Amino acid sequence: MAEPTTPISDPYAYLNIVKNPDGSITRDLTNFPCATATPDPSPENPAVSKDLPVNHSKSTWLRLYLPSSAVTDSISSQKLPIVVYYHGGGFILCSVDMQPFHDFCSEMARDLNAIVVSPSYRLAPEHRLPAAYGDGVEALEWIKTSDDEWIKSHADFSNVFLMGTSAGGNLAYNVGLRSADSVSELSPLQIRGLILHHPFFGGEERSGSEIRLVNDQVCPPIVTDVMWDLSLPVGADRDHEYSNPTVGDGSDDLEKIGGLRWKVMMIGGEDDPMIDRQIDVAKLMKKKGVEVVEQYTDGDAHGAEIRDPCKRKTLFVSIKNFISSLL
């Protein structure tokens, strides 16, 4: 019989952060090894990658991934779909170049045969929401106007997908809402769908899954409460539209997403305390006329495929089928 797990009692210690008197936080990144970009094709690298600046004044940048096969096959002129991938970290932690996110994006570029663009965004509490959403939209502007050779030679601007894990999934959702309201400004980029991988949503009243999984060892409510407290606008509670999209019957921009025929893939794990919220957001989107494909996996905790490389192949097959259905 498995030993009972000890509930997480100090979320700040669990997250390795210290809150400073000025409202900022000090992050201990010892447990977050980073990976350098891999610009040269080699058998060890599923994809080539490179780092490019987005906005110098905000210190934002992105990592661009291209399947190694696209580099080594000089004859092929095939244009590849673009997956814009926003990393997770509760809006307060992590970065594009963290080893698990780098490996995830490299393998995804190879398995989907797609260009993956992974933009950085400013973190809270130093830059509270909606700062990250603005950075997410700005990354789309960068792609649209880029003169990068990989983008010019290989990117199919008519097939763009917004994707993210955890806070990145929330970011992809909110960038999607903003983009639906300004489609003409993004031209020639054409968003075809959103891929929300274990998206980070919250609310004041505990959901059934948050109660059931109150002592979850990966992302329990006591930890996500702190993340929302540090990332939402000052004075806002967890029923703010950024954290709880179902409040007030949701955003009117969801109907625009439905009208644009964008399709949404909602991916979750049954052992994630946020699973009920993800199901509720999917239900809201369908009510607003958005076509939603839902995939919830038994036994998967929050962000399972980021932490366990063995789970990625199955995920990428599902995502590839989703993308193929829209091409």
Side-chain angles (χ1 to χ4, degrees):
M1 186 174 173
E3 290 291 319
T5 52
T6 304
I8 294 165
S9 58
D10 184 344
Y12 283 87
Y14 175 74
L15 294 168
N16 284 325
I17 60 173
V18 175
K19 196 170 184 179
N20 301 317
D22 65 357
S24 65
I25 59 173
T26 299
R27 302 164 177 85
D28 180 354
L29 303 178
T30 309
N31 297 325
F32 293 98
C34 291
T36 55
T38 54
D40 299 316
S42 76
E44 297 82 42
N45 298 328
V48 290
S49 57
K50 59 182 170 183
D51 298 336
L52 297 161
V54 174
N55 186 320
H56 288 289
S57 67
K58 297 176 183 175
S59 299
T60 53
W61 57 286
L62 57 78
R63 182 163 289 181
L64 187 62
Y65 298 84
L66 183 68
S68 294
S69 58
V71 179
T72 54
D73 184 0
S74 56
I75 300 171
S76 174
S77 58
Q78 180 189 9
K79 296 287 188 178
L80 306 178
I82 302 170
V83 176
V84 182
Y85 176 82
Y86 303 103
H87 70 78
F91 291 114
I92 64 170
L93 292 171
C94 303
S95 60
V96 169
D97 56 354
M98 258 185 57
Q99 188 78 54
F101 292 123
H102 173 79
D103 292 344
F104 184 85
C105 288
S106 293
E107 293 171 29
M108 181 160 61
R110 176 195 63 198
D111 289 7
L112 302 187
N113 197 30
I115 291 177
V116 176
V117 182
S118 184
S120 75
Y121 52 89
R122 290 168 294 167
L123 298 179
E126 295 83 1
H127 305 279
R128 288 176 176 264
L129 295 173
Y133 301 154
D135 295 343
V137 172
E138 191 170 35
L140 300 183
E141 295 287 338
W142 181 93
I143 297 168
K144 182 181 92 166
T145 59
S146 175
D147 60 0
D148 176 78
E149 189 55 42
W150 289 2
I151 295 284
K152 289 195 297 183
S153 298
H154 300 285
D156 180 356
F157 278 14
S158 67
N159 284 301
V160 179
F161 296 84
L162 306 183
M163 177 180 175
T165 298
S166 191
N170 176 299
L171 211 163
Y173 174 83
N174 279 281
V175 170
L177 292 179
R178 285 157 173 73
S179 300
D181 203 32
S182 56
V183 170
S184 60
E185 294 170 29
L186 283 176
S187 181
L189 290 188
Q190 295 178 39
I191 295 171
R192 305 297 300 278
L194 312 181
I195 302 165
L196 310 181
H197 179 238
H198 297 220
F200 183 47
F201 296 127
E204 282 296 304
E205 185 178 345
R206 292 291 190 228
S207 69
S209 57
E210 287 170 341
I211 294 168
R212 174 172 60 90
L213 296 163
V214 66
N215 293 328
D216 175 60
Q217 293 293 292
V218 176
C219 213
I222 192 175
V223 169
T224 55
D225 285 355
V226 167
M227 290 172 162
W228 286 123
D229 181 57
L230 293 171
S231 59
L232 286 168
V234 174
D237 66 21
R238 292 189 303 277
D239 280 335
H240 191 281
E241 62 180 332
Y242 296 160
S243 49
N244 188 353
T246 66
V247 165
D249 202 34
S251 168
D252 291 340
D253 287 328
L254 280 175
E255 292 172 353
K256 294 178 184 175
I257 287 178
L260 290 164
R261 302 282 186 223
W262 296 358
K263 201 169 169 181
V264 175
M265 186 175 192
M266 180 71 80
I267 304 163
E270 295 287 356
D271 284 353
D272 181 354
M274 281 173 261
I275 184 70
D276 283 358
R277 300 198 180 278
Q278 294 155 4
I279 291 169
D280 286 346
V281 173
K283 191 181 300 180
L284 171 69
M285 287 191 283
K286 286 188 280 190
K287 178 183 170 185
K288 297 280 189 176
V290 180
E291 186 177 351
V292 183
V293 175
E294 296 175 81
Q295 178 175 304
Y296 307 116
T297 307
D298 285 340
D300 273 4
H302 189 69
E305 293 88 356
I306 300 297
R307 292 175 294 102
D308 185 353
C310 296
K311 293 181 179 286
R312 292 175 191 162
K313 277 282 184 200
T314 304
L315 173 68
F316 294 151
V317 167
S318 298
I319 294 173
K320 187 167 188 174
N321 290 338
F322 172 76
I323 290 176
S324 297
S325 73
L326 290 166
L327 298 183

